[in-house]
């Protein structure tokens, strides 16, 4: 569901298919429609497991493609890559009543220097900004006295970022654009 936040999928059984020599593996993920769902992947070769994150953006359907490639090359008719593809359906869920009461605002959005984050209907304790692969870039305590906090995003490279506001019982996630 759209307001249920990200889904984490554990990927297992990752290998190069080579019984004798070991090859370096590379994995990548692509959402064919990132306006519906953003996908990111955590994997380190030669591990047999990785983590796929899917973050819903709006109601709709998209395909997610996970590519695995080795460094064995294509000589003698060999294959150096394979992919799996699956469909993600993002639906609206009935918990909308609560999400209408508690939400976070980010403004200006997009921004190139400062953003202000305010919340309504929920007590926030901490704000974090992550890139689309889930790497934490900024962390700040939420200013509960005034009900909003300022974050300096001028050092971030232009692009889309995930803003997470955490409270005692609530986690709210939204995205913002850095110019």
């Amino acid at each position: 569901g759209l307001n249920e936040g990200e889904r984490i999928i554990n990927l297992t059984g990752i290998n190069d298919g080579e019984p004798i020599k070991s090859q370096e593996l590379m994995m990548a993920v692509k959402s064919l429609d990132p306006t519906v769902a953003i996908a990111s992947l955590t994997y380190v070769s030669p591990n047999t497991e990785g983590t796929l994150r899917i973050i819903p953006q709006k109601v709709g359907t998209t395909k997610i493609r996970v590519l695995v490639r080795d460094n064995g090359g294509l000589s003698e008719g060999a294959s150096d890559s394979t992919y799996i593809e699956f469909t993600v359906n993002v639906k609206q869920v009935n918990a909308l009543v609560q999400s209408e009461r508690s939400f976070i605002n980010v403004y200006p959005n997009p921004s190139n220097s400062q953003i202000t984050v305010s919340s309504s209907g929920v007590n926030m304790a901490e704000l974090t900004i992550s890139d689309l692969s889930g790497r934490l870039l900024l962390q700040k305590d939420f200013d509960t006295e005034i009900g909003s906090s300022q974050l300096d995003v001028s050092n971030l490279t232009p692009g889309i970022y995930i803003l997470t506001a955490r409270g005692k019982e609530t986690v709210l996630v939204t995205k913002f654009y850095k110019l």
Side-chain angles (χ1 to χ4, degrees):
L2 186 59
N3 55 347
E4 292 175 329
E6 78 175 6
R7 294 285 174 154
I8 296 177
I9 300 163
N10 292 317
L11 305 172
T12 58
I14 302 166
N15 66 65
D16 60 7
E18 185 72 41
I20 301 166
K21 63 179 184 172
S22 175
Q23 297 174 349
E24 186 77 18
L25 295 177
M26 181 280 302
M27 289 184 71
V29 65
K30 179 179 185 176
S31 172
L32 300 188
D33 187 349
T35 66
V36 172
I38 297 170
S40 66
L41 189 65
T42 305
Y43 174 74
V44 178
S45 184
N47 292 347
T48 58
E49 296 181 359
T51 305
L52 175 64
R53 285 183 168 76
I54 298 174
I55 304 169
Q57 301 298 305
K58 71 176 185 183
V59 173
T61 302
T62 185
K63 288 189 182 305
I64 303 291
R65 186 176 290 167
V66 179
L67 171 78
V68 181
R69 175 175 284 138
D70 64 37
N71 63 351
L74 298 172
S75 64
E76 299 170 15
S79 171
D80 73 342
S81 66
T82 186
Y83 69 88
I84 56 167
E85 188 174 272
F86 55 92
T87 301
V88 170
N89 265 326
V90 177
K91 296 181 174 143
Q92 197 68 52
V93 292
N94 293 336
L96 192 60
V97 178
Q98 191 223 334
S99 72
E100 285 176 352
R101 283 199 316 262
S102 34
F103 58 88
I104 49 175
N105 276 326
V106 180
Y107 54 92
N109 189 5
S111 174
N112 62 359
S113 57
Q114 288 285 109
I115 59 171
T116 300
V117 181
S118 65
S119 74
S120 172
V122 67
N123 290 328
M124 289 295 135
E126 178 190 69
L127 298 171
T128 58
I129 293 179
S130 305
D131 63 18
L132 295 182
S133 68
R135 192 169 43 113
L136 180 65
L137 302 173
L138 282 171
Q139 187 169 356
K140 183 176 183 178
D141 288 342
F142 190 78
D143 190 340
T144 52
E145 293 292 310
I146 60 172
S148 68
S149 285
Q150 301 262 322
L151 286 160
D152 182 2
V153 295
S154 58
N155 291 333
L156 299 178
T157 54
I160 301 173
Y161 292 89
I162 305 297
L163 180 101
T164 305
R166 287 182 173 76
K168 270 187 179 164
E169 299 164 359
T170 313
V171 176
L172 298 174
V173 179
T174 191
K175 64 183 175 189
F176 77 92
Y177 299 88
K178 164 69 168 69
L179 295 175

